[in-house]
C-alpha cells in the first residue's frame, strides 16, 4: 500500500508552499488507494503551539484534504530515545561539546581557507578522560556518524542524485537539552509508519542524503523520494519574506476558493496546462508527479483571482445558497450576476444594490443627460424588455449613442463601470433614483 505523509511543524500558519507539499502527498496516496498521514513535527516545545495545530487541521479540512491518520512527534519521544540508544551502542551516534560560538568559528575558518564548512569531527578525537571532565560542566549534543561515500537515489522529480557525504557535516540528532531533532525523528517515523513515498521541498535534498544513511543504519526500507521545487515570487525572489501574506488563512480571507488554489497548485510548475477542476477526484486523475520540473516555480497570488472568479461563475444557486444571505430575489439575482463576481463576497454588493440602490457614479458632464434619461424610464413594472425600450427612447431624444449613451446609465444605476447584462438587472432594482 502507498503511504504518504504531510509533516508540518506547528510553528506557524500553513502557506501556499506548504500546501504544495500537502497536496502532492495527498494526491499520490489517493491515486493509489493508499493512506495519507498528517504528522505534526512538534519536537520543538518552545516553538510548537496548539493554536497552529488547530489552524493546520482547519486549513486542510477547508481544502478537503482529509487525512487517514494523525501522528504527533511529541507523543513518540520514548521511541526516539530507544532508537538513539541503539545508535549509541553501535557507535553511530557520538557526543560533542562545542558551543554554537565554537562551531561558528570553525565554520568561518574553513570558509576563509576556501573549504566547505564541514564539521571536523574533533569530538571523536577526545579521550574518555577528557570527556569525563567536560561532562561535569557541559551536557553533550549528539551527531550521527556519516559513513563517507556517495549517497545516491533516483528522485522522482530531480532524477539521479549523487551526493558525496564527506561534503556534509555529521547531522546533529539530539540537542544538548535533550531535544530530538527532526532529522532523526522523521526517519524513525517514516520507518515505523511504513511511509513509501516522501514528497517534500528541494530544501530537504541534503537532509535526504543524511536520512538515507540513518535509515540504512537502522535497517529500514528506503521510501521513494521526490523533491519539488520551491515557489518563488514573480521575479524569482524567495517567497519566505512574503509568506506572511500567502498563508492559507489570508487567501481564505481574501475570498479565494479552495478549488481555485488546489487546481492552480496541482499544475503550477508542471508540463501540463493549467486548468480549473471541479473536484479533488478530477485533480487526482490528471496528476503526475514526474511532470513537475526542478526549476523554481513562480507563484503570483493575483493569479488565483481569475480562477476563483471562473469557479464561482460555474456554481449553481443551490451550491451557494448556504454561503449567502438568502432573500426571495436572491436566486434570480445569482443567475444574473454570477458571471461578474471575482469572489463570492462580491454578491453582497449586488444584493445591496437591488435592495437599497447605491450612490450613483456620475461624471459632471453626464449629469444633465442622466437626469433627462431617468425622466424617460418606463413608468410600468420593469421587465427584461424595459432596458431596450428605455434606451431606444433615450436614443430618439438625444444625440448620444453607443458607449456614451449606455455607460453613464450603468454607472448611475449600479455605481460601477462593469457588471451584468443591464436588461436582466434593471427589473431587479427596487430603488432607482428619479434624479442624480
Ligand atoms: N517538518 C518538516 C518541514 O516542515 C518536514 C519535512 C519532511 O517532509 O520530511 O520541513
Amino acid at each position: 500500500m502507498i503511504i504518504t505523509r504531510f509533516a508540518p511543524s506547528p510553528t506557524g500558519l500553513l502557506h501556499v508552499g506548504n500546501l504544495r507539499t500537502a497536496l502532492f502527498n495527498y494526491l499520490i496516496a489517493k491515486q493509489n488507494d493508499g493512506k495519507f498521514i498528517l504528522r505534526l513535527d512538534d519536537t520543538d516545545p518552545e516553538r510548537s503551539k496548539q493554536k497552529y495545530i488547530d489552524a493546520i487541521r482547519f486549513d486542510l479540512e477547508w481544502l478537503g484534504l482529509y487525512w487517514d491518520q494523525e501522528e504527533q512527534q511529541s507523543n513518540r519521544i520514548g521511541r526516539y530515545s530507544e532508537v538513539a540508544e541503539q545508535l549509541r551502542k553501535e557507535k553511530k551516534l557520538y557526543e560533542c561539546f562545542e558551543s554554537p560560538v565554537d562551531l561558528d568559528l570553525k565554520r568561518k575558518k574553513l570558509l576563509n581557507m576556501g573549504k566547505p564548512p564541514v564539521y571536523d569531527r574533533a569530538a571523536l578525537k577526545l579521550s574518555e578522560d577528557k570527556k569525563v571532565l567536560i561532562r561535569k560542566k557541559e551536557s553533550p549534543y549528539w551527531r550521527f556518524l556519516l559513513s563517507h561515500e556517495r549517497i545516491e537515489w533516483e528522485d522522482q522529480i530531480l532524477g539521479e542524485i549523487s551526493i558525496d557525504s564527506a561534503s556534509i557535516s555529521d547531522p546533529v540528532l539530539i540537542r544538548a537539552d535533550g531535544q530530538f531533532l527532526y532529522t532523526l525523528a522523521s526517519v524513525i517515523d517514516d520507518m515505523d509508519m511504513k511511509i513509501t513515498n516522501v514528497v517534500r521541498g528541494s530544501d530537504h535534498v541534503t537532509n535526504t542524503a543524511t536520512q538515507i544513511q540513518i535509515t540504512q543504519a537502522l535497517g529500514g526500507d528506503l521510501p521513494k523520494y521526490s523533491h519539488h521545487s520551491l515557489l518563488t515570487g514573480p521575479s524569482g525572489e524567495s517567497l519566505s519574506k512574503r509568506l506572511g501574506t500567502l498563508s492559507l488563512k489570508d487567501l481564505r480571507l481574501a475570498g479565494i476558493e479552495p478549488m481555485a488554489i488546489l487546481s492552480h497548485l496541482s499544475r503550477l510548475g508542471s508540463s501540463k496546462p493549467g486548468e480549473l477542476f471541479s473536484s479533488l477526484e478530477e485533480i487526482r486523475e490528471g496528476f503526475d508527479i514526474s511532470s513537475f520540473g526542478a526549476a523554481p516555480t513562480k507563484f503570483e497570488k493575483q493569479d488565483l483571482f481569475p480562477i476563483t472568479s471562473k469557479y464561482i461563475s460555474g456554481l449553481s444557486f443551490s451550491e451557494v445558497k448556504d454561503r449567502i444571505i438568502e432573500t426571495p430575489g436572491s436566486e434570480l439575482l445569482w443567475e444574473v450576476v454570477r458571471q461578474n463576481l471575482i469572489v463570492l463576497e462580491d454578491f453582497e454588493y449586488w444584493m445591496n444594490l437591488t435592495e437599497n440602490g447605491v450612490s450613483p457614479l456620475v461624471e459632471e458632464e453626464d449629469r444633465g443627460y442622466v437626469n433627462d434619461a431617468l425622466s424617460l424610464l418606463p413608468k410600468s413594472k420593469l421587465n427584461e424588455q424595459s432596458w431596450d425600450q428605455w434606451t431606444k427612447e433615450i436614443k430618439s431624444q438625444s444625440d448620444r449613442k453607443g458607449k456614451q449613451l449606455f455607460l453613464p446609465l450603468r454607472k448611475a444605476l449600479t455605481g460601477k463601470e462593469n457588471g451584468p447584462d443591464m436588461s436582466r438587472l434593471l427589473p431587479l432594482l427596487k430603488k432607482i433614483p428619479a434624479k442624480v
Side-chain angles (χ1 to χ4, degrees):
M1 176 157 65
I2 297 289
I3 306 178
T4 64
R5 85 299 195 275
F6 171 49
S9 302
T11 53
L13 294 174
L14 293 184
H15 52 70
V16 278
N18 303 128
L19 172 58
R20 197 158 188 243
T21 311
L23 178 64
F24 289 5
N25 279 291
Y26 172 89
L27 292 172
I28 290 172
K30 298 294 154 180
Q31 260 180 342
N32 293 285
D33 284 326
K35 188 153 76 164
F36 173 59
I37 298 177
L38 169 62
R39 192 184 80 203
L40 299 157
D41 283 1
D42 61 345
T43 52
D44 182 340
E46 258 143 54
R47 294 177 59 227
S48 302
K49 300 266 182 302
Q50 183 61 39
K51 67 173 179 183
Y52 294 127
I53 297 183
D54 296 340
I56 289 168
R57 291 185 187 133
F58 188 90
D59 284 339
L60 292 177
E61 282 173 356
W62 174 62
L63 292 156
L65 300 178
Y66 297 103
W67 53 102
D68 305 297
Q69 185 178 325
E70 183 173 315
E71 298 287 347
Q72 207 161 328
Q73 291 193 325
S74 55
N75 294 333
R76 294 177 42 79
I77 305 295
R79 173 76 180 126
Y80 305 151
S81 309
E82 206 177 281
V83 174
E85 205 37 54
Q86 181 189 334
L87 289 172
R88 267 187 207 110
K89 277 201 193 113
E90 292 169 11
K91 306 246 177 296
K92 288 179 179 146
L93 198 56
Y94 63 97
E95 55 190 334
C96 306
F97 300 91
E98 294 93 343
S99 68
V101 178
D102 297 337
L103 291 172
D104 203 41
L105 275 177
K106 283 183 193 238
R107 244 190 319 262
K108 286 198 177 124
K109 220 162 145 187
L110 286 168
L111 286 171
N112 278 342
M113 293 185 323
K115 291 192 177 161
V118 178
Y119 176 63
D120 60 6
R121 294 183 165 173
L124 273 183
K125 289 160 210 138
L126 293 172
S127 67
E128 197 47 44
D129 294 347
K130 188 99 201 246
K131 283 197 256 186
V132 171
L133 278 177
I134 310 180
R135 275 192 213 113
K136 288 191 179 135
K137 291 184 282 166
E138 316 271 354
S139 322
Y141 70 95
W142 298 81
R143 287 185 191 262
F144 178 76
L145 185 66
L146 289 171
S147 84
H148 283 170
E149 60 194 16
R150 292 205 81 82
I151 305 172
E152 301 186 330
W153 75 93
E154 176 70 33
D155 195 280
Q156 310 246 285
I157 294 177
L158 303 177
E160 285 282 345
I161 302 279
S162 172
I163 293 179
D164 178 5
S165 61
S167 68
I168 311 174
S169 296
D170 289 337
V172 177
L173 300 189
I174 307 170
R175 292 199 334 188
D177 62 4
Q179 187 184 314
F180 289 97
L181 291 181
Y182 151 81
T183 313
L184 176 64
S186 183
V187 167
I188 301 172
D189 290 352
D190 288 346
M191 281 171 54
D192 289 355
M193 292 161 202
K194 304 196 168 23
I195 302 300
T196 55
N197 298 62
V198 167
V199 180
R200 55 191 177 194
S202 53
D203 50 337
H204 283 290
V205 167
T206 309
N207 280 339
T208 297
T210 61
Q211 289 181 333
I212 285 177
Q213 282 208 355
I214 302 171
T215 308
Q216 285 166 338
L218 295 172
D221 292 331
L222 291 175
K224 282 187 178 155
Y225 292 100
S226 313
H227 293 88
H228 60 70
S229 64
L230 299 183
L231 297 180
T232 70
S235 29
E237 73 277 22
S238 136
L239 271 199
S240 55
K241 284 190 214 80
R242 300 170 45 211
L243 282 179
T245 64
L246 292 174
S247 67
L248 299 180
K249 183 179 175 188
D250 274 313
L251 297 180
R252 180 165 58 243
L253 293 177
I256 302 295
E257 294 287 321
M259 202 40 68
I261 312 183
L262 294 168
S263 298
H264 190 51
L265 287 184
S266 74
R267 286 290 166 88
L268 186 70
S270 91
S271 54
K272 296 187 170 193
E275 220 176 295
L276 171 63
F277 296 98
S278 58
S279 65
L280 271 164
E281 286 70 33
E282 209 188 319
I283 292 180
R284 162 173 114 188
E285 272 161 34
F287 180 77
D288 176 7
I289 190 93
S290 65
S291 70
F292 287 84
T297 304
K298 288 189 178 139
F299 175 84
E300 177 60 275
K301 178 178 174 180
Q302 290 311 320
D303 292 345
L304 293 171
F305 288 101
I307 314 176
T308 292
S309 171
K310 188 169 174 198
Y311 174 76
I312 287 176
S313 70
L315 295 176
S316 65
F317 183 70
S318 61
E319 288 169 303
V320 292
K321 69 178 172 25
D322 296 337
R323 298 176 59 192
I324 60 175
I325 306 160
E326 215 182 327
T327 63
S330 53
E331 181 160 6
L332 188 52
L333 181 64
W334 177 255
E335 292 311 324
V336 173
V337 305
R338 68 180 191 179
Q339 311 273 355
N340 301 91
L341 310 175
I342 293 178
V343 295
L344 187 62
E345 224 178 38
D346 294 344
F347 185 62
E348 260 177 50
Y349 180 88
W350 299 101
M351 285 269 281
N352 190 39
L353 166 71
T354 52
E355 293 298 316
N356 310 313
V358 278
S359 36
L361 191 60
V362 190
E363 309 301 328
E364 228 16 74
E365 69 264 27
D366 291 330
R367 195 171 297 280
Y369 160 71
V370 171
N371 281 331
D372 289 348
L374 285 172
S375 69
L376 297 174
L377 192 71
K379 298 283 174 288
S380 53
K381 192 168 166 14
L382 298 173
N383 59 34
E384 294 206 354
Q385 282 72 51
S386 308
W387 173 258
D388 208 34
Q389 289 160 3
W390 182 34
T391 50
K392 273 201 182 111
E393 183 64 23
I394 297 168
K395 203 172 187 172
S396 71
Q397 303 212 15
S398 87
D399 49 7
R400 293 195 180 216
K401 54 182 187 214
K403 200 174 162 188
Q404 269 206 317
L405 182 144
F406 295 108
L407 192 58
L409 300 179
R410 174 183 287 283
K411 281 161 64 177
L413 295 181
T414 69
K416 283 188 184 292
E417 301 209 354
N418 298 300
D421 179 356
M422 287 302 291
S423 344
R424 297 183 73 196
L425 185 67
L426 186 65
L428 305 180
L429 301 180
K430 295 192 180 143
K431 299 236 166 80
I432 299 180
K435 202 169 169 306
V436 291

